[in-house]
Amino acid sequence: MSSEKEPLFSAKNLKLITTPLGAQNPITIQVLGICSALAVTVKLEPAIVLSISVMFVTVFSNLIISLLRNTIPSRIRIIVQLVVVASLVIIVDQVLKAFAYEVSLQLSVFVGLIITNCIIMGRLEAFALGNKPWPAVLDGIGNGAGYGFILIVVAFFRELLGTGFLTLPGLGAMQVIPDVFYQWGYANNGFMILPPMALIVVGIIIWVQRSRNKDLIES
Amino acid sequence: MDYINIFIRSIFIDNMVFAYFFGMCSYLAVSKTVNTSFGLGLAVTFVLSITVPVNYLLNDYVLSEGALVWLDNLLGVKEPLFAEFDLSFLSFIMFIAVIASMVQLVEMVVEKFAPTLYSQLGIFLPLIAVNCAILGGSLFMQEREYANLGEATVFGVGSGIGWLLAIVGIAAIREKIQYSDIPAPLRGLGITFIVTGLMGVAFMSFMGIQL
């Protein structure tokens, strides 16, 4: 077994991390995990915190389910998956409440909703149940990162255009657009803060992505 | 009066899809034809109107701080023993367990009494268990602290109807939009996102209505 063991970061394994960032992005291509993604993108800080939480849960749930994959009877696998995911989410929730209470208030129910985030169930079903632990961990990292990437891009534009500030974890809100601009007549677009704009921003991201990569266009 | 207010709020103002993006995955995946989306909407409404009250009782009598006081009274304990427990950290796992078992129950009932609907819904019926709208309904119920069982039930039914309206609306638009000349990269998913955004803008005009 050890003689033909493939290296930890072989080309195939690296691909597991890179494809979800682009051509197999969970949000814009696989249409997974949109539920909780859009509502927390008003500010950059909760978006970053939620991305890290989701990445933690995808990595560890992929790892655990992949380790258990030969012992889970397929009829009750959904319940088993839900229990594993729910326990991980409880850990995330308690850690956030202890160390980042302000952010956990902003995220409110969306931490709990990581349980039903389709990314996690989707990757467990599609990947972790049929693969070894290490590729499953890499797949978790890749998909968590692909999800977080879209979240952070959407939050960046919404907060920048909507308020002129950017909020980073640990740094607080920073004014990015200088006062001079406002004196010249620039105005914040308050519409960007409202929920529907998240959908439209994602729509535009999909448009940009598919214009650059013609293979992704739906017929 | 409160009931009507909560009902209208949960359908139009706090609409699950347009205000919180709950249940977006099945919303985008199933909304290709009006018929199936109507069936799924009904199933979601039904499951929501059962799980929200059940989870309300669970939250009120088992999970929240001091909720187990009835156990003290039942056992005749003098000092507060169970009343000091705060099990609310368990709420995620309890709620999802209730939802998963309710969905299983609904699935069996539908299979027995409405086989046609069962075959129409197919895989989407069990998938309701992982629909964020259902868990979201229970979590919002917990966070907003509704005063009694009636309010929680009305909230559950209203959220379900709001979701039903949203998915039937987008399905009707998507049936028509197939014949439109859309830029190729926007076809399919992209335009659905943008149309949903515009519908959300329209639903925002209900904001601030008080009855």
Side-chain angles (χ1 to χ4, degrees):
Chain A
M1 183 183 165
S2 55
S3 60
E4 49 186 281
K5 199 175 170 188
E6 54 177 329
L8 282 184
F9 288 102
S10 62
K12 198 177 108 214
N13 282 348
L14 274 184
K15 247 188 147 167
L16 290 173
I17 296 189
T18 53
T19 50
L21 287 173
Q24 275 300 318
N25 189 285
I27 293 185
T28 58
I29 309 298
Q30 303 179 51
V31 206
L32 293 175
I34 296 156
C35 324
S36 61
L38 301 177
V40 297
T41 50
V42 177
K43 284 189 174 160
L44 202 49
E45 186 182 21
I48 293 174
V49 172
L50 189 76
S51 315
I52 295 170
S53 315
V54 167
M55 201 158 149
F56 170 83
V57 178
T58 45
V59 170
F60 282 93
S61 61
N62 262 6
L63 174 67
I64 293 171
I65 293 294
S66 172
L67 286 171
L68 295 174
R69 69 185 188 280
N70 292 327
T71 55
I72 303 174
S74 73
R75 287 186 70 88
I76 59 160
R77 64 180 195 282
I78 302 266
I79 305 271
V80 175
Q81 289 164 2
L82 279 178
V83 170
V84 170
V85 174
S87 321
L88 286 168
V89 171
I90 289 176
I91 296 174
V92 169
D93 185 45
Q94 298 291 316
V95 169
L96 280 186
K97 275 190 182 140
F99 295 105
Y101 189 66
E102 293 292 312
V103 183
S104 87
L105 282 186
Q106 285 176 31
L107 288 174
S108 72
V109 298
F110 290 96
V111 179
L113 284 175
I114 297 176
I115 299 173
T116 50
N117 194 322
C118 335
I119 278 187
I120 293 167
M121 294 299 282
R123 291 325 292 174
L124 289 180
E125 283 281 299
F127 199 88
L129 275 175
N131 283 283
K132 291 202 176 115
W134 177 244
V137 166
L138 294 180
D139 184 72
I141 296 176
N143 279 284
Y147 169 87
F149 173 65
I150 298 290
L151 227 66
I152 288 166
V153 170
V154 175
F156 176 80
F157 282 111
R158 284 183 75 191
E159 188 174 15
L160 181 67
L161 299 177
T163 64
F165 283 80
L166 284 178
T167 324
L168 288 170
L171 293 174
M174 295 180 301
Q175 188 169 358
V176 178
I177 295 177
D179 286 330
V180 190
F181 277 45
Y182 293 104
Q183 283 159 17
W184 289 341
Y186 174 85
N188 286 327
N189 184 357
F191 208 51
M192 291 300 283
I193 304 175
L194 301 174
M197 282 313 287
L199 288 162
I200 294 176
V201 172
V202 174
I204 293 169
I205 291 176
I206 293 174
W207 192 357
V208 172
Q209 193 187 14
R210 294 191 180 178
S211 315
R212 291 165 58 101
N213 188 347
K214 300 284 182 202
D215 301 339
L216 301 172
I217 293 175
E218 291 174 40
S219 55
Chain B
M1 221 49 223
D2 265 358
Y3 290 127
I4 301 176
N5 200 1
I6 291 175
F7 192 62
I8 302 287
R9 270 199 81 85
S10 55
I11 295 181
F12 293 109
I13 303 162
D14 292 337
N15 186 287
M16 281 282 184
V17 173
F18 298 126
Y20 301 104
F21 313 110
F22 284 172
M24 279 307 265
C25 306
S26 35
Y27 173 85
L28 292 170
V30 187
S31 61
K32 290 207 172 95
T33 62
V34 172
N35 272 341
T36 40
S37 46
F38 189 73
L40 185 74
L42 277 186
V44 166
T45 311
F46 185 67
V47 174
L48 259 177
S49 44
I50 295 178
T51 53
V52 171
V54 169
N55 281 336
Y56 179 84
L57 291 178
L58 196 66
N59 188 44
D60 229 31
Y61 288 100
V62 181
L63 293 175
S64 57
E65 196 174 359
L68 283 170
V69 86
W70 58 271
L71 206 59
D72 278 353
N73 298 336
L74 194 74
L75 297 173
V77 189
K78 288 283 179 289
E79 309 86 66
L81 176 66
F82 290 104
E84 284 180 350
F85 288 2
D86 180 6
L87 297 178
S88 52
F89 71 96
L90 282 178
S91 48
F92 294 160
I93 208 162
M94 295 299 280
F95 285 175
I96 201 75
V98 167
I99 290 167
S101 39
M102 279 299 157
V103 169
Q104 195 82 52
L105 201 72
V106 169
E107 198 184 344
M108 289 188 310
V109 170
V110 171
E111 189 180 9
K112 175 95 177 132
F113 294 106
T116 25
L117 183 65
Y118 181 78
S119 58
Q120 270 174 4
L121 287 177
I123 180 70
F124 293 109
L125 200 54
L127 277 188
I128 292 177
V130 286
N131 188 328
C132 344
I134 313 280
L135 185 63
S138 290
L139 291 176
F140 268 135
M141 174 274 300
Q142 188 188 31
E143 192 183 88
R144 291 181 189 159
E145 295 171 346
Y146 286 111
N148 54 45
L149 186 61
E151 285 190 12
T153 317
V154 168
F155 168 73
V157 177
S159 319
I161 295 177
W163 201 86
L164 172 85
L165 283 182
I167 194 171
V168 172
I170 193 76
I173 294 177
R174 280 182 85 171
E175 278 187 2
K176 288 278 173 209
I177 222 168
Q178 283 178 339
Y179 306 108
S180 315
D181 187 20
I182 304 162
L186 263 182
R187 264 178 218 150
L189 194 58
I191 196 69
T192 314
F193 267 102
I194 291 177
V195 168
T196 313
L198 295 178
M199 284 171 78
V201 175
F203 262 71
M204 276 175 55
S205 57
F206 291 112
M207 207 170 261
I209 291 179
Q210 289 281 338
L211 287 173

